[in-house]
């Protein structure tokens, strides 16, 4: 889950603000340990098929890690792969390419191990959740839960 998703779930009544804040703090600790040599880039002006194609060409780990709009995405991965993606996206006439400072490769396979450690705490909180009072859209998948 991203920070915005925790806020949305708390606002929808799935868990309390306090539980959400506790989860966000724990998540930040785990992810900061895993974030070395990772990057996330905000990309605007290319469609999803083109972004996926460039991710594959970038090598190492480079993935769409967030869907912001039909032509706006977050791309995360190793620093080298994300930089290779940035160069190709610029050549492909992307409208905007901006690194997000302080971000690791959230929502990518690079964070899998860190997130597995965090899952224990997440499961404890989720065992006492309530149904959402409204629809919540996950930004990593653009799906309603």
């Amino acid at each position: 889950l991203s920070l915005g998703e925790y806020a949305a779930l708390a606002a929808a009544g799935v868990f309390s603000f306090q539980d959400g804040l506790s989860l966000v703090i724990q998540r930040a600790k785990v992810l900061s340990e895993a974030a070395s040599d990772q990057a996330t880039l905000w990309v605007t002006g290319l469609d999803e098929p083109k972004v996926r194609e460039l991710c594959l060409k970038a090598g190492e780990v480079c993935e769409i890690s967030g869907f912001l709009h039909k032509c706006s995405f977050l791309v995360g991965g190793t620093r080298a792969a994300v930089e290779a993606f940035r160069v190709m996206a610029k050549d492909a006439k992307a409208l905007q390419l901006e690194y997000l400072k302080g971000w690791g490769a959230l929502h990518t396979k690079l964070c899998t191990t860190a997130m597995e450690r965090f899952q224990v705490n997440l499961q404890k909180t989720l065992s006492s959740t309530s149904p959402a009072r409204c629809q919540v859209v996950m930004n990593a998948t653009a799906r309603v839960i």
Side-chain angles (χ1 to χ4, degrees):
L1 300 175
S2 71
L3 294 178
E5 291 166 340
Y6 285 101
L9 291 168
V14 174
F15 46 71
S16 72
F17 175 81
Q18 292 80 9
D19 285 343
L21 185 58
S22 174
L23 287 171
V24 166
I25 291 168
Q26 294 168 37
R27 175 186 176 271
K29 288 177 184 176
V30 168
L31 290 177
S32 68
E33 294 168 5
S36 66
D37 199 38
Q38 297 177 5
T40 295
L41 185 72
W42 175 18
V43 182
T44 301
L46 300 176
D47 63 12
E48 183 179 348
K50 185 64 174 179
V51 172
R52 288 192 185 282
E53 173 192 333
L54 296 179
C55 283
L56 287 173
K57 289 180 179 178
E60 296 180 352
V61 176
C62 186
E63 305 171 7
I64 294 176
S65 57
F67 294 83
L68 307 175
H69 183 271
K70 68 179 183 175
C71 289
S72 185
F73 307 90
L74 297 179
V75 171
T78 63
R79 285 191 196 283
V82 173
E83 178 57 18
F85 173 92
R86 187 193 66 75
V87 169
M88 291 185 289
K90 184 177 180 182
D91 290 343
K93 307 293 186 227
L95 299 175
Q96 183 167 5
L97 297 162
E98 184 175 329
Y99 279 102
L100 302 181
K101 292 177 177 56
W103 284 49
L106 303 177
H107 306 296
T108 71
K109 61 185 163 192
L110 291 175
C111 288
T112 301
T113 303
M115 291 310 291
E116 286 171 355
R117 289 194 324 251
F118 175 65
Q119 289 298 322
V120 174
N121 295 326
L122 181 61
Q123 290 306 318
K124 289 178 188 174
T125 299
L126 293 180
S127 67
S128 62
T129 60
S130 301
R133 294 186 296 248
C134 59
Q135 287 186 336
V136 177
V137 178
M138 300 285 97
N139 70 325
T141 61
R143 293 193 178 112
V144 175
I145 62 162

